[in-house]
Amino acid sequence: MSDRHIHMAGQVVERHITRAGQGGGRDVYEYALLRVVPRVERGECVNAGVLVYCRARGYLGARTHLDEPRLLALDPAADVAGVLAALGAVEAVCGGGTAAGQAAGDDAGRRFRWLIAPRSTVVQPGPVHTGLTTDPVAETERLLDLLVR
């Protein structure tokens, strides 16, 4: 088996490997969606934000957008103000500094891992995915447009 191909069930599949210095200026990043689950027992959710972490650039960012009519369609009694406050808190933790509260002293990676930890609250992180980017700030906005808005 070579670095270029994987043989699976008689098929040859192209395999893309990025080694240090071969990324064309692109760095690996991780991201997770923020989902609002107004009624956990029903399992319905609305995508409301995205978290992006790029270790190579020391970047941790969050962008949020709550589609209130969609949320209220799932649960007319949803606490919109509470959800907006929780989404704002996530953005504050990503920004670090005094607004991050107890997480202020943690590095970006530790704050990201804390934010993506599973929890049973109305605002929940989704699974973590990866990608390559030359600009994690722009990637955060692109993912918000693609997956949330």
Side-chain angles (χ1 to χ4, degrees):
M1 196 176 338
S2 73
D3 281 348
R4 297 213 29 103
H5 297 91
I6 299 175
H7 301 278
M8 298 171 48
Q11 297 178 351
V12 177
V13 178
E14 186 71 23
R15 181 172 147 185
H16 301 281
I17 299 174
T18 303
R19 291 186 175 86
Q22 293 182 335
R26 298 180 301 168
D27 294 306
V28 174
Y29 70 92
E30 299 174 78
Y31 73 95
L33 283 172
L34 293 173
R35 302 181 292 200
V36 178
V37 185
R39 294 177 59 191
V40 176
E41 70 276 7
R42 292 183 62 156
E44 300 167 330
C45 65
V46 174
N47 291 346
V50 64
L51 297 166
V52 173
Y53 171 57
C54 181
R55 179 179 176 191
R57 307 266 174 123
Y59 173 79
L60 174 61
R63 292 280 289 127
T64 62
H65 171 80
L66 181 61
D67 186 337
E68 292 180 31
R70 183 179 278 178
L71 174 61
L72 293 172
L74 292 179
D75 183 5
D79 180 7
V80 174
V83 169
L84 289 171
L87 292 171
V90 169
E91 289 192 46
V93 169
C94 284
T98 58
Q102 289 182 318
D106 293 337
D107 64 32
R110 187 173 174 114
R111 291 192 319 269
F112 179 71
R113 300 285 173 238
W114 181 77
L115 287 167
I116 62 166
R119 50 185 51 95
S120 58
T121 62
V122 173
V123 177
Q124 300 178 6
V128 176
H129 306 280
T130 61
L132 294 171
T133 186
T134 57
D135 183 353
V137 176
E139 193 66 26
T140 304
E141 193 65 36
R142 186 188 76 80
L143 289 170
L144 183 75
D145 287 340
L146 179 68
L147 303 171
V148 178
R149 289 188 179 144

